[in-house]
Amino acid sequence: MVHRSGEQQFDRERAGSLRAAEYVRMSTEHQRYSTENQSDVIRRYAAHRGIEIVRTYVDAGRSGLNIEGRSGLQQLIADIESGTADFSVVLVYDISRWGRFQDADESAFYEYRCRRAGVRVEYCAEQFDNDGSIGSDVQKVVKRRMAAEYSRELSVKVFQGQCRLIELGFRQGGPAGFGLRRELRDEHGRPKGLLGAGEHKSIQTDRVVLVPGPPEEVAIVRWIYRRFVNDRKDESAIAAELNARSVVTDLGRRWTKGTVHQILINEKYLGNNVWNRVSSKLKQRRTSNDPSMWVRADGVFEGIVDQVLFAAAREIIDARSRHLSDDEMLTLLCALFEANGLLSGLIIDEAENCPSSSAFRSRFSGLLKAYALVGFSPDRDYRYVEVNRALRRRHPQVVADTIAGIERIGGRVEKDPLTELLTINREFTASLTIVRCFETGAGSLRWKVRLDRSLLPDITIAVRMNRMNNEPQDYLLLPSLDMDADVLRLGEENGIWIDAYRFDSLAPLFELAERVPIQEVA
């Protein structure tokens, strides 16, 4: 069928009638890439080259991170590979509209499937012809990586913004929970009303906070805590009592051991904002995060449970596992893993005769470490979290050592208390950053230096850590005059221009304080 489609394509092109399909995609992140704007550019491109557009495939409001949910692209490839396509060219606005796949090979794979079936893909707004030449292939690889990196960096920026909102007490998605409600507030903090189930804010500057729910629900939450702490009833018994009273959860369901347990351990009932317990960044599988990755702010909205009562409940829950040895707890966890094929906090909390997820988290310094001990490996590797935490702890001491070294040789250093930007001898500024080392699959070492363009330092001092990230490997002096990127990606060997500013210790950096004119440093 593919061969016959190729013959039909050849006959049409020989007759001077080159037929094409256009593919357009709009994601929510770029309104300027509306499907209409893309189509206008594509059609001008086609008219200039005498191409007739006979089909349109559209994915409106769809992310380009993967092919799931993109029915337009899926149908396009299916039509081409089935041999029923009546066109020989696919016209796309640019590389990023084809997709921002995190694996550049995936983007190339879908294009290859089209080309294998005798249909080529052309990118109308790119500055190269997709003609199979070495030049075009290299540019496509670079563009695909740029598209993927854009999505990754956008994800980081969005995450940082969400963290800031959490610290201010605002809710970042998810149901309020039994006994609480979501309240909409304007940009000045004035209440605008309660949001019902499935309702969301419609104005960008509006925010959502948690507030106490109906009095009867608040009373039930407090009753659950008293029943658990004062009357020593366990979660299963409390759930049975609530079901006997025909009380339903906030989702309209019957109570279980797990739903009662979640009320007893969730800090939102104290007024604490805790976020990023689970994540699914860049369309990856949803996964539970280690507590070290949680983002929290205490006492940022009105709680409905007394702090003393909450602490007493946690003490009872934690005490359940104290009589169990580590081996006994892991034996129970291993049996649960074998029975379910996977592990999660909810699975653990619903299990009878098993310590709670919080008990495993406390005993083994995190659920991920407990999972590893029974052979369960989540999809993502979180070891970098501990490394980053250690480097953050080290940063103040490195800054202090740098200042002390400069002052020892007679220099003068002023540190901005907010930005930690160093002003040396009142002549030039320096920013110090500690750079984590990571290893590629092939065993090569890499460092990613993020340059703070907002501070505009004259010099960035990059402390590159060794393979184990426990000691500095060397120090790079990066003059802003030579740096025009926000992120500098470094390997073990980077050329003369880097080596000229590389030092094995901080001593040469201290001597810069004696060279006052910044031109000498640059």
Side-chain angles (χ1 to χ4, degrees):
M1 295 179 71
V2 172
H3 178 69
R4 183 167 59 253
S5 176
E7 289 181 345
Q8 294 169 351
Q9 168 194 336
F10 177 77
D11 291 340
R12 285 191 295 268
E13 292 187 3
R14 185 169 54 187
S17 176
L18 184 59
R19 296 160 65 87
E22 63 175 343
Y23 173 72
V24 293
R25 180 183 66 82
M26 180 186 71
S27 60
T28 55
E29 65 200 38
H30 263 324
Q31 293 305 313
R32 70 185 181 93
Y33 281 134
S34 70
T35 54
E36 292 82 3
N37 288 346
Q38 292 174 56
S39 188
D40 287 345
V41 173
I42 291 172
R43 290 179 182 276
R44 287 197 298 269
Y45 179 93
H48 182 69
R49 289 161 176 78
I51 301 174
E52 178 187 2
I53 296 177
V54 297
R55 293 284 181 273
T56 298
Y57 296 84
V58 180
D59 281 320
R62 295 295 180 182
S63 167
L65 290 169
N66 53 42
I67 201 169
E68 283 75 19
R70 294 171 63 183
S71 58
L73 182 58
Q74 292 178 17
Q75 187 62 53
L76 168 65
I77 295 175
D79 289 348
I80 291 173
E81 293 186 327
S82 69
T84 60
D86 58 347
F87 49 85
S88 59
V89 181
V90 176
L91 301 180
V92 188
Y93 180 84
D94 65 8
I95 292 285
S96 69
R97 296 303 92 195
W98 187 250
R100 297 187 186 277
F101 301 99
Q102 292 302 288
D103 187 339
D105 290 340
E106 184 177 359
S107 179
F109 171 66
Y110 297 128
E111 182 181 325
Y112 166 72
R113 288 171 63 179
C114 296
R115 190 169 63 251
R116 182 180 59 182
V119 177
R120 70 176 187 268
V121 178
E122 294 188 10
Y123 302 105
C124 304
E126 299 291 3
Q127 300 300 312
F128 61 88
D129 292 326
N130 194 13
D131 55 7
S133 64
I134 293 178
S136 68
D137 287 348
V138 169
Q139 290 189 69
K140 281 195 298 183
V141 170
V142 173
K143 289 276 189 175
R144 286 167 181 155
R145 289 303 306 148
M146 289 172 61
E149 183 66 9
Y150 171 84
S151 293
R152 192 201 64 77
E153 291 186 349
L154 180 63
S155 174
V156 171
K157 292 176 182 177
V158 170
F159 179 77
Q160 291 173 341
Q162 290 173 318
C163 291
R164 176 57 179 160
L165 292 176
I166 285 294
E167 293 170 354
L168 294 174
F170 299 124
R171 185 75 170 172
Q172 292 298 296
F178 190 85
L180 298 169
R181 291 295 184 270
R182 295 178 302 141
E183 183 178 75
L184 188 65
R185 295 187 178 178
D186 64 19
E187 58 183 320
H188 301 294
R190 293 186 292 256
K192 297 179 65 175
L194 298 179
L195 292 172
E199 294 182 342
H200 304 280
K201 69 173 188 175
S202 58
I203 301 176
Q204 184 71 22
T205 55
D206 283 352
R207 295 287 177 252
V208 177
V209 298
L210 289 183
V211 296
E216 58 273 19
E217 287 191 19
V218 172
I220 289 174
V221 171
R222 292 169 177 166
W223 174 83
I224 289 173
Y225 273 86
R226 291 195 301 271
R227 201 83 170 114
F228 183 77
V229 173
N230 299 333
D231 301 335
R232 295 304 173 114
K233 295 291 183 179
D234 63 21
E235 293 94 332
S236 297
I238 294 173
E241 290 187 47
L242 290 170
N243 291 330
R245 292 165 52 185
S246 298
V247 177
V248 295
T249 68
D250 55 308
L251 300 177
R253 301 171 183 169
R254 291 174 57 83
W255 291 85
T256 66
K257 174 189 174 184
T259 52
V260 173
H261 184 78
Q262 285 301 308
I263 284 184
L264 291 170
I265 66 171
N266 202 312
E267 295 184 44
K268 64 186 176 183
Y269 294 105
L270 283 176
N272 297 346
N273 232 356
V274 182
W275 183 67
N276 201 40
R277 294 173 184 263
V278 295
S279 62
S280 55
K281 293 180 181 178
L282 295 173
K283 304 296 181 181
Q284 299 300 307
R285 183 178 299 178
R286 185 178 175 88
T287 183
S288 298
N289 292 333
D290 187 270
S292 62
M293 297 180 65
W294 295 359
V295 181
R296 62 181 304 116
D298 296 340
V300 288
F301 55 85
E302 182 181 355
I304 62 175
V305 174
D306 179 72
Q307 174 72 51
V308 175
L309 196 60
F310 184 89
R314 288 303 299 266
E315 175 63 24
I316 293 172
I317 292 171
D318 292 343
R320 290 172 177 169
S321 60
R322 286 181 186 154
H323 67 283
L324 297 175
S325 67
D326 290 357
D327 289 341
E328 288 172 329
M329 289 185 66
L330 291 175
T331 298
L332 293 172
L333 189 63
C334 186
L336 197 60
F337 176 35
E338 292 177 352
N340 292 273
L342 61 105
L343 292 171
S344 71
L346 184 59
I347 289 175
I348 295 172
D349 291 337
E350 288 286 8
E352 296 290 343
N353 303 316
C354 183
S356 66
S357 59
S358 57
F360 283 101
R361 187 177 293 115
S362 175
R363 177 71 67 88
F364 299 101
S365 301
L367 276 180
L368 290 174
K369 294 183 179 179
Y371 293 163
L373 292 172
V374 298
F376 174 58
S377 300
D379 292 333
R380 294 176 59 186
D381 186 350
Y382 293 100
R383 287 174 296 179
Y384 73 92
V385 176
E386 295 300 326
V387 173
N388 286 347
R389 292 177 65 186
L391 295 184
R392 282 196 294 270
R393 291 193 298 267
R394 189 186 189 107
H395 187 270
Q397 187 59 50
V398 174
V399 173
D401 290 344
T402 303
I403 294 174
I406 293 174
E407 291 178 342
R408 275 199 305 271
I409 63 172
R412 178 176 180 180
V413 182
E414 299 173 10
K415 186 180 78 168
D416 188 302
L418 295 178
T419 64
E420 294 194 338
L421 190 68
L422 306 181
T423 301
I424 301 173
N425 291 345
R426 294 187 177 179
E427 291 291 339
F428 62 91
T429 58
S431 175
L432 190 146
T433 180
I434 299 180
V435 188
R436 177 172 65 92
C437 175
F438 63 94
E439 192 171 345
T440 68
S444 300
L445 302 185
R446 296 289 185 268
W447 294 264
K448 186 181 294 184
V449 183
R450 297 192 177 277
L451 303 170
D452 197 333
R453 313 298 293 180
S454 62
L455 296 179
L456 296 177
D458 296 312
I459 297 171
T460 295
I461 303 170
V463 184
R464 293 203 304 181
M465 303 301 290
N466 62 10
R467 184 189 295 267
M468 302 302 295
N469 284 296
N470 56 6
E471 292 293 339
Q473 172 172 295
D474 54 28
Y475 303 83
L476 302 183
L477 181 62
L478 306 173
S480 295
L481 295 178
D482 292 343
M483 301 292 111
D484 56 1
D486 293 332
V487 178
L488 185 63
R489 293 169 177 80
L490 303 176
E492 296 175 76
E493 299 296 334
N494 302 279
I496 296 175
W497 71 274
I498 287 292
D499 291 341
Y501 300 105
R502 192 176 74 190
F503 307 102
D504 295 328
S505 70
L506 278 174
L509 301 180
F510 301 155
E511 296 172 5
L512 291 172
E514 297 178 331
R515 293 203 252 166
V516 173
I518 187 60
Q519 289 79 3
E520 294 186 19
V521 178

